[in-house]
Amino acid sequence: MEDRGWFTRFLDTVEWLGNLLPHPVTLFAILCVLMILISGVVGFFDLSVEDPRPGAVGEIQANSLLNGDGLRWLVENLVSNFVGFAPLGVVLVALLGVGVADKSGLLSAVIRSIVMKAPPKLIVAALVFSGIISNTASEMGYVVLIPLAGLIFLGLGRHPLAGMAAAFAGVSGGYSANLLLGTIDPLLAGITQEAAQLIDESYRVDATANYFFMIISTFVITAVGTFVTVKIVEPKLGEYDPSNASEDLSDETSLDPITPEERRGMKWAGIAALGMLGLFALSVVPEWGVLRHPETGEVAHSPFLNGIVALIFAFFLVPGVVFGVVTGQMRNDQDVVNAMASAMSTLGLYIVLVFFAAQFVSIFGETNLGRILAVMGANGLQNIGLTGPLVFLFFILMCGMVNLSLGSASAQWAVTAPIFVPMLMLIGYSPEVIQAAYRIGDSTTNIITPMMSYFGLIMAFMVKYDRNTGIGTIIAMMLPFSIFFLISWITLFFVWVFLLGMPVGPGAPTYYDIGAATGS
């Protein structure tokens, strides 16, 4: 019998525990009911804490929803909780533009062009880098890039699983690095803002909150992913034996090469994209830029940053339409509308999830339990002296562990943000920095958890080349990426934020002044 080490048994336990969890939608519904019941208990015992904000008078009192007033609040606010949930609208708007760029074939053509034109010595770096960029439209990275990586490595006489591992590491392990803003950025920013407003009702978190850190992370993760692939994963896999394939690979060729029409389309789409960037720059770079703050004239908290989702929409829409028209994929306005409708049709499950997540976040806020737990947690950290930057090390590791069982980034953050964002704000750190730290933990363990929604798809792709591939095979292959990503990303975080004092995003502070909080 195969000797199973302690780490393999540990991963088996994690998988078993994760399988016991219900669907995220059901989980949020259960959490809503539990929160209402808990609010009744703490309300009965008059749980409260002293309000730590300067100038605040009195205590933060737990609010029971298990009474007549609570029932009336639930009934009256069910719809407004949903439609007023910050991440909902921004994701829908951003995806309208991204959907057009995706359905026209522009995103696929760009990714294939990057990978196929890369010199053999740089192919691994190109795969990891392309995987990171494809996060803008994550499904495209999983569905197109990862199988493409296997085909390219097979054609180069290298182990196809190594190429797929490199692409998988970029797409999923590097989920929070990018040169572009995608739909996940406004989604997480919206959840962070909702959590921050438990402490400061006026606090705003822009979709660009982590943009600077995302950019530098892109190059770090690309370098680390390339190193792990070439020095660890590929040597461990050894020479590929085609007899292990589950199907005949004799006629296997790389995915569709770039056609002349696609090259022409990318040329004109690139011109359109440069034109859009020029217009954006004209609106914000000059002192008279129309999208600067109308009163202060600054970029911070300006319409440019506050409305970045509208700019994401336009940036992907226009080049996407241009590419579609040039290549013949879009012949009239109906095709553009259909592309938008197709993008919206993929969000059915997301909208259902958001409905219950929004109810949970609103219920959690109405009960005041988020504020109370934040104050208690902050007091506990202060009592043990853990208020310095080291607190983020434990926070990142905790997020990574939670992600092993709750693979959805938005679902995990919707549960944890209302507790940890206020808690870390109370000891002096900004929501933007807290969100950046969360994203490190969330991304680095995506590639080693069977709970990740695309894990089964990745296994199906890999079985094609090796019939013996199983969950343990993938986890063992991806674990080095996870470890090296985690170490390098944590190091980058501390160096970037605390050693160099660099902001994680435009106008994003590192520290939060509790004295600036207003309201309760």
Side-chain angles (χ1 to χ4, degrees):
M1 180 176 291
E2 181 183 1
D3 181 24
R4 299 174 62 79
W6 67 269
F7 192 71
T8 301
R9 293 195 296 271
F10 164 73
L11 292 174
D12 289 341
T13 303
V14 170
E15 180 184 356
W16 177 75
L17 291 174
N19 287 333
L20 295 179
L21 289 174
H23 191 282
V25 171
T26 307
L27 181 62
F28 275 116
I30 294 172
L31 288 174
C32 287
V33 175
L34 286 176
M35 195 54 57
I36 293 172
L37 294 176
I38 292 172
S39 75
V41 174
V42 297
F44 177 79
F45 289 102
D46 294 324
L47 177 67
S48 64
V49 295
E50 184 178 350
D51 195 328
R53 294 172 294 181
V57 179
E59 298 180 326
I60 301 176
Q61 184 78 37
N63 184 27
S64 174
L65 299 183
L66 204 61
N67 52 35
D69 289 340
L71 179 60
R72 284 187 287 272
W73 180 87
L74 289 169
V75 172
E76 291 175 350
N77 291 278
L78 188 74
V79 175
S80 61
N81 290 343
F82 175 47
V83 298
F85 192 54
L88 177 61
V90 294
V91 170
L92 295 178
V93 172
L95 195 60
L96 286 173
V98 174
V100 172
D102 185 20
K103 296 301 178 182
S104 70
L106 173 59
L107 296 181
S108 174
V110 169
I111 294 299
R112 285 186 286 126
S113 179
I114 293 174
V115 173
M116 290 180 171
K117 289 183 178 180
K121 291 184 179 180
L122 298 179
I123 193 66
V124 177
L127 285 172
V128 179
F129 177 79
S130 298
I132 294 171
I133 298 301
S134 74
N135 293 332
T136 304
S138 59
E139 286 189 8
M140 189 266 297
Y142 289 108
V143 176
V144 175
L145 182 62
I146 293 176
L148 171 63
L151 291 170
I152 290 174
F153 262 54
L154 182 66
L156 293 173
R158 301 170 70 172
H159 203 300
L161 295 194
M164 300 175 84
F168 186 24
V171 175
S172 199
Y175 195 64
S176 290
N178 216 313
L179 301 182
L180 303 172
L181 293 175
T183 54
I184 190 64
D185 299 294
L187 170 61
L188 294 182
I191 296 174
T192 304
Q193 177 174 298
E194 298 258 356
Q197 289 176 351
L198 293 174
I199 295 296
D200 185 347
E201 292 181 351
S202 65
Y203 205 96
R204 291 185 59 87
V205 179
D206 297 321
T208 57
N210 301 145
Y211 189 46
F212 292 160
F213 189 65
M214 288 166 54
I215 292 175
I216 190 66
S217 295
T218 300
F219 300 104
V220 171
I221 294 302
T222 298
V224 174
T226 302
F227 171 81
V228 172
T229 302
V230 174
K231 298 298 183 179
I232 299 176
V233 173
E234 197 166 11
K236 183 177 183 300
L237 288 171
E239 186 176 350
Y240 179 60
D241 183 359
S243 65
N244 291 330
S246 61
E247 58 185 73
D248 184 12
L249 300 178
S250 58
D251 295 328
E252 196 74 16
T253 58
S254 60
L255 291 184
D256 299 336
I258 303 298
T259 65
E261 290 78 14
E262 287 178 321
R263 290 193 184 92
R264 189 164 57 249
M266 284 192 290
K267 172 186 174 182
W268 286 104
I271 293 173
L274 289 175
M276 297 297 296
L277 291 175
L279 290 176
F280 295 162
L282 195 62
S283 71
V284 74
V285 173
E287 292 184 359
W288 46 262
V290 68
L291 292 184
R292 281 177 172 263
H293 196 289
E295 297 177 0
T296 66
E298 296 179 351
V299 177
H301 306 296
S302 65
F304 177 81
L305 294 182
N306 294 340
I308 195 70
V309 174
L311 303 182
I312 294 174
F313 164 74
F315 180 75
F316 284 97
L317 173 67
V318 174
V321 170
V322 169
F323 181 88
V325 170
V326 172
T327 59
Q329 295 297 315
M330 292 181 171
R331 295 179 173 83
N332 51 47
D333 62 316
Q334 185 66 47
D335 291 334
V336 178
V337 172
N338 288 340
M340 291 183 177
S342 177
M344 290 297 100
S345 68
T346 64
L347 290 181
L349 178 59
Y350 168 75
I351 292 174
V352 175
L353 176 65
V354 163
F355 174 79
F356 287 97
Q359 303 309 321
F360 169 76
V361 171
S362 297
I363 289 171
F364 199 55
E366 183 67 16
T367 62
N368 277 337
L369 287 175
R371 294 175 181 171
I372 291 173
L373 289 173
V375 173
M376 294 172 65
N379 289 339
L381 291 175
Q382 290 171 345
N383 289 336
I384 64 175
L386 190 59
T387 58
L390 187 61
V391 70
F392 282 101
L393 174 62
F394 297 98
F395 176 61
I396 292 170
L397 294 176
M398 183 218 67
C399 292
M401 291 297 294
V402 172
N403 190 52
L404 290 174
S405 297
L406 190 60
S408 168
S410 57
Q412 182 191 162
W413 194 223
V415 172
T416 55
I419 299 173
F420 289 100
V421 170
M423 181 189 301
L424 296 177
M425 286 176 69
L426 288 174
I427 61 174
Y429 297 103
S430 74
E432 292 87 348
V433 168
I434 300 166
Q435 177 182 286
Y438 159 74
R439 297 181 72 170
I440 294 173
D442 170 69
S443 297
T444 51
T445 54
N446 276 337
I447 50 182
I448 59 171
T449 172
M451 298 300 103
M452 200 274 294
S453 56
Y454 288 96
F455 199 91
L457 178 65
I458 304 306
M459 186 166 70
F461 287 149
M462 291 186 175
V463 166
K464 174 181 178 180
Y465 298 102
D466 187 344
R467 67 174 69 90
N468 298 316
T469 299
I471 291 176
T473 308
I474 299 177
I475 292 175
M477 183 169 57
M478 302 309 298
L479 187 58
F481 290 103
S482 188
I483 293 172
F484 276 80
F485 281 1
L486 187 61
I487 294 172
S488 59
W489 226 335
I490 289 176
T491 303
L492 175 65
F493 177 78
F494 279 95
V495 170
W496 183 265
V497 175
F498 298 111
L499 184 60
L500 299 179
M502 301 293 289
V504 292
T510 297
Y511 300 99
Y512 174 72
D513 181 6
I514 186 63
T518 59
S520 60

